[in-house]
Amino acid sequence: MLTVQTEHDFDRGVAVLRDQIDTKVAAYFSSCVHCGLCAEACLFYTETGDPRYTPIYKVEPMRRLWQREHTFLGKLGKALGLGSDLTADDFANWQEMTYDSCTLCGRCSMVCPVGNDIAYMIRRQREAFAAAGYSPEGLQGASTRALEIGSPMGVTLKTLKAQIDHVEEATGLKVPLDVQGADYMLLLSSMEVVNFPETIESLTRIFESAGVSWTLASQAFEATNSGIQIGDSKIAAELVGRVVRAAEELGVKSVVSPECGHAYMAIRWDGPNLIGRPYRFEVVHILELLDQLRAEGRLKTEGLDDRRLTYHDPCQIARRGGVLAEPRNLLHMVAPDYPEMSDTGRMNWCCGGGGGVSANEGAEDLRLTAFKRKKRQLEALNVDTLVTACANCRIVIEEGLEHYEMDIQVTGLTELLAEHLVSPHKPTPPT
Amino acid sequence: MFLEFVEGPLWYASAAIFIFGVSLRLIEVLTRGMPPDLSAPRGPGWPGALRTLFSRSWTAEGFTRGATFHLVAGYMFHIGLFVLLLFAAPHVVFLEERVLGFGWTPAPHWLFILAADLAFAGLALLWLRRVMHPVMRKISTFDDHAAAILTFIVMFTGCMALLMSHESLRAIHMLTVCLLLIYFPFSRLMHAFTFFLSRGFTGAAMARKGVQA
């Protein structure tokens, strides 16, 4: 039975950390000249000025292990009893840097002069910290619920069915469940089911209007992958495996990743590597599917949105996922002249809550401090609405806006499109 | 006698350590292993690897804070160093007679002076940033300082040897060069070889996802 490591086991952590030093990591450490530029790309450093949040410093435990075991001088020092080995205190001291102050957004990886993918390195260091039990309680709880209940927020099939009933009542449309041979199997994130059920309603209307053959799967409706966030590949593989089994049993052509950044990273890019084989189906992000429908003339909107809005790129979908043009194509359908933020697309600033940070209660104050970056970006544009494509970004941004008393509405891109859909199935006006 | 030793046995020994050490380090890195990426790519990785190999020689889009200083000082140092290394008249002669068997036109004196000024100023600026900036102080290790100081000494003795044309200065310069060659494979100076790998790996991985890195 797969479980989450909650007890501290330092030796296990070091053994796992040792395994994480692959060719890439070794090349990255060999290349790093400690220039410190990655700090300026990290919102946890820029908004606090604390040098401990320099991205490359966050992987100091892994660097020290690499230096001691994979370099001549390190080996010589060890043989002569010079220098010090990693200790449990190092793991305890670096837990904050490994989890609280990194969203795995990968902005640092875009500016490193020697090309180091520091987000990749931190993701690998998390494997060791998770194995050693030096991970945040919030992520441990989320991962346990994902394994035992099927959702990090404890959302059950019963809860989903209740939401489906609401959607069917509101739209008069059928929400397909376990349809054999459908073209697309849609995944949802717990946050969408619990906090933003209007997304399900919007997709139901859009798919009906566009004539999309789709289904939800009762055995695997959850897209969120806590294993990726806590850094436990075995848990991540189990969660991906559930989706793969459901998709292959239903015989769908494609699996659709929802408006959730890490879900997309998990199912689209990490998934095949986690389960050790390519999929027998295609994975598309919901924005890719909607943009395809737009290009085929199957997604039609009417009217322009009169709100002053902008778009926030979720890091895992844009910078780390490659879905950059699609949201802009879609947004231009209803807001052709919307202003972009100063740093956008692949260089966008994170909301501050990705990579499991939003599920980590101990990181809340730091997250809200880091949000000042997004606050300044939004203030510079003087917008009244922010559109995004990640339920986690959405809730983190809403909390940040509330904390700083900013009067900006946040909405999902799918919802925005559904509001302008040319269809007899118009969304329910907000009450 | 001392000059003969440093330009003879010590030079050959340090050059051998350099070549053997660098090769060993590269082999060690490359044999760590890297499983194939099984995800369906949006495009091939190698064009991205090539692109990133060059794109990281400039600052990322809109990324100027901190980067401008580093970019300017970094280019001053590296350009100056390469001009000194490859075009200083004694180096051209040494490489022709002792290593390659052919030579090329050396840099005129004014260019040598300019290159030396650039290299010294760039290295000094980078090192000052290292000791003054809180981030740099936090992340710098003994190796960072040792590599910078050793490089400075090599450049300084080299310039003194060229300008003073004294045999003992030339011997001291050769000694520091040999020390640098011996230290190189075990130090952060290895980035001169491994940056091809790190830029390439990241560029390829991002290109598979359809992102220009």
Side-chain angles (χ1 to χ4, degrees):
Chain A
M1 175 68 182
L2 201 53
T3 56
V4 177
Q5 180 73 26
T6 54
E7 300 296 320
H8 287 174
D9 186 344
F10 169 69
D11 290 338
R12 184 167 182 245
V14 172
V16 173
L17 190 58
R18 195 169 281 127
D19 290 342
Q20 299 307 311
I21 301 172
D22 62 1
T23 284
K24 267 193 192 182
V25 171
Y28 292 157
F29 279 133
S30 299
S31 297
C32 180
V33 289
H34 284 165
C35 70
L37 284 188
C38 50
E40 302 292 351
C42 174
L43 76 174
F44 290 100
Y45 169 73
T46 61
E47 303 315 303
T48 64
D50 188 338
R52 290 181 309 137
Y53 298 143
T54 303
I56 198 67
Y57 189 68
K58 295 172 188 173
V59 289
E60 184 67 5
M62 189 157 64
R63 188 199 68 80
R64 282 177 52 194
L65 189 71
W66 165 80
Q67 197 268 339
R68 201 139 175 84
E69 299 188 354
H70 297 284
T71 66
F72 176 78
L73 291 182
K75 288 176 191 170
L76 183 67
K78 189 169 185 174
L80 296 174
L82 301 172
S84 57
D85 287 321
L86 281 177
T87 65
D89 282 348
D90 292 323
F91 269 46
N93 292 336
W94 256 268
Q95 183 180 318
E96 182 198 356
M97 268 81 86
T98 306
Y99 289 100
D100 299 20
S101 65
C102 180
T103 60
L104 301 176
C105 82
R107 199 168 189 273
C108 52
S109 304
M110 301 297 281
V111 306
C112 175
V114 294
N116 287 354
D117 186 352
I118 305 171
Y120 174 87
M121 300 164 92
I122 294 176
R123 168 68 184 82
R124 292 188 83 83
Q125 182 166 286
R126 282 191 182 186
E127 287 281 340
F129 276 58
Y134 286 90
S135 54
E137 279 182 27
L139 280 176
Q140 291 176 356
S143 300
T144 301
R145 285 188 294 277
L147 286 173
E148 294 175 358
I149 303 171
S151 149
M153 292 174 69
V155 173
T156 61
L157 181 60
K158 190 177 170 186
T159 314
L160 176 66
K161 282 184 171 172
Q163 292 291 22
I164 287 174
D165 288 344
H166 287 306
V167 171
E168 290 183 340
E169 193 178 328
T171 62
L173 299 170
K174 180 78 180 161
V175 176
L177 187 64
D178 294 330
V179 176
Q180 198 72 30
D183 286 346
Y184 295 97
M185 183 179 105
L186 177 68
L187 301 176
L188 298 167
S189 69
S190 287
M191 276 194 198
E192 286 175 318
V193 178
V194 175
N195 300 94
F196 309 116
E198 54 271 30
T199 306
I200 309 172
E201 185 178 327
S202 300
L203 284 170
T204 303
R205 294 179 194 282
I206 291 172
F207 286 164
E208 175 70 19
S209 172
V212 173
S213 156
W214 70 290
T215 186
L216 290 168
S218 57
Q219 296 302 309
F221 57 86
E222 176 62 72
T224 315
N225 194 313
S226 305
I228 294 289
Q229 295 173 330
I230 198 170
D232 187 321
S233 285
K234 287 179 184 160
I235 295 174
E238 164 62 23
L239 301 178
V240 168
R242 291 174 187 175
V243 174
V244 172
R245 281 193 295 279
E248 291 180 351
E249 282 172 16
L250 288 173
V252 297
K253 292 176 186 161
S254 303
V255 166
V256 183
S257 179
E259 289 195 357
C260 173
H262 275 82
Y264 182 60
M265 177 57 63
I267 195 69
R268 173 67 176 89
W269 298 111
D270 288 350
N273 300 311
L274 289 165
I275 66 168
R277 68 169 172 86
Y279 297 146
R280 299 189 188 107
F281 50 84
E282 180 192 30
V283 175
V284 293
H285 190 265
I286 183 62
L287 297 184
E288 291 179 292
L289 175 56
L290 292 177
D291 192 42
Q292 180 192 323
L293 297 175
R294 176 199 62 79
E296 292 170 356
R298 295 162 69 188
L299 171 61
K300 290 178 180 164
T301 57
E302 60 187 358
L304 298 179
D305 205 286
D306 56 7
R307 291 172 288 186
R308 184 167 169 79
L309 52 82
T310 190
Y311 179 69
H312 164 78
D313 286 281
C315 308
Q316 303 301 317
I317 294 171
R319 175 161 50 243
R320 306 290 286 181
V323 182
L324 290 150
E326 292 84 348
R328 287 164 174 82
N329 295 340
L330 293 165
L331 198 46
H332 280 140
M333 294 173 77
V334 296
D337 300 318
Y338 82 89
E340 291 275 8
M341 283 185 263
S342 51
D343 292 303
T344 191
R346 66 194 182 99
M347 288 304 287
N348 189 35
W349 289 94
C350 179
C351 65
V357 173
S358 64
N360 178 358
E361 283 181 23
E364 187 176 343
D365 288 346
L366 182 59
R367 171 166 60 82
L368 288 168
T369 301
F371 186 78
K372 286 190 286 186
R373 172 61 66 170
K374 189 57 61 185
K375 176 176 177 279
R376 283 202 299 280
Q377 281 191 296
L378 292 171
E379 284 171 342
L381 288 183
N382 192 29
V383 292
D384 55 43
T385 302
L386 178 69
V387 183
T388 189
C390 169
N392 189 57
C393 290
R394 187 171 170 181
I395 207 151
V396 166
I397 290 170
E398 282 180 347
E399 285 177 15
L401 294 172
E402 188 181 340
H403 179 79
Y404 289 104
E405 298 179 347
M406 295 172 72
D407 187 20
I408 295 176
Q409 299 299 307
V410 186
T411 189
L413 182 49
T414 304
E415 266 178 78
L416 182 68
L417 293 170
E419 286 172 22
H420 291 270
L421 192 64
V422 177
S423 159
H425 310 292
K426 280 289 192 184
T428 315
T431 53
Chain B
M1 180 70 178
F2 181 59
L3 181 62
E4 284 173 14
F5 171 70
V6 292
E7 287 198 343
L10 187 61
W11 157 253
Y12 287 115
S14 41
I17 290 171
F18 172 79
I19 293 167
F20 181 71
V22 167
S23 305
L24 208 63
R25 280 289 301 272
L26 290 175
I27 289 168
E28 204 278 333
V29 167
L30 292 170
T31 54
R32 291 301 304 160
M34 197 168 61
D37 191 339
L38 302 173
S39 62
R42 285 213 170 86
W46 67 266
L50 271 180
R51 184 186 185 281
T52 305
L53 205 52
F54 293 99
S55 69
R56 293 301 170 98
S57 300
W58 201 249
T59 55
E61 165 194 344
F63 186 72
T64 51
R65 187 177 147 172
T68 307
F69 179 92
H70 194 268
L71 183 83
V72 172
Y75 267 109
M76 283 169 65
F77 167 63
H78 283 98
I79 290 173
L81 180 68
F82 279 109
V83 171
L84 292 178
L85 184 66
L86 298 175
F87 294 99
H91 291 171
V92 175
V93 174
F94 186 86
L95 289 169
E96 182 178 8
E97 292 178 355
R98 305 291 294 276
V99 184
L100 301 171
F102 62 89
W104 49 86
T105 308
H109 188 71
W110 67 264
L111 184 57
F112 171 82
I113 297 295
L114 178 65
D117 286 347
L118 279 175
F120 278 116
L123 185 59
L125 287 171
L126 291 171
W127 190 74
L128 281 173
R129 182 168 178 262
R130 187 171 294 289
V131 294
M132 291 176 73
H133 195 290
V135 165
M136 303 298 287
R137 284 206 301 270
K138 190 78 181 169
I139 63 177
S140 294
T141 61
F142 169 80
D143 186 22
D144 297 311
H145 297 290
I149 291 167
L150 193 52
T151 305
F152 179 87
I153 292 171
V154 169
M155 292 197 312
F156 181 75
T157 56
C159 288
M160 294 305 289
L162 185 72
L163 296 173
M164 308 289 285
S165 298
H166 197 284
E167 197 170 270
S168 60
L169 287 172
R170 180 184 166 111
I172 291 171
H173 176 56
M174 274 307 293
L175 176 67
T176 60
V177 169
C178 291
L179 289 175
L180 186 72
L181 286 174
I182 293 168
Y183 183 61
F184 193 105
F186 311 113
S187 72
R188 209 166 292 290
L189 297 169
M190 271 299 293
H191 78 274
F193 292 95
T194 55
F195 87 92
F196 291 102
L197 299 174
S198 49
R199 285 185 182 180
F201 286 145
T202 298
M206 297 300 276
R208 292 183 87 260
K209 296 176 180 178
V211 178
Q212 291 188 342

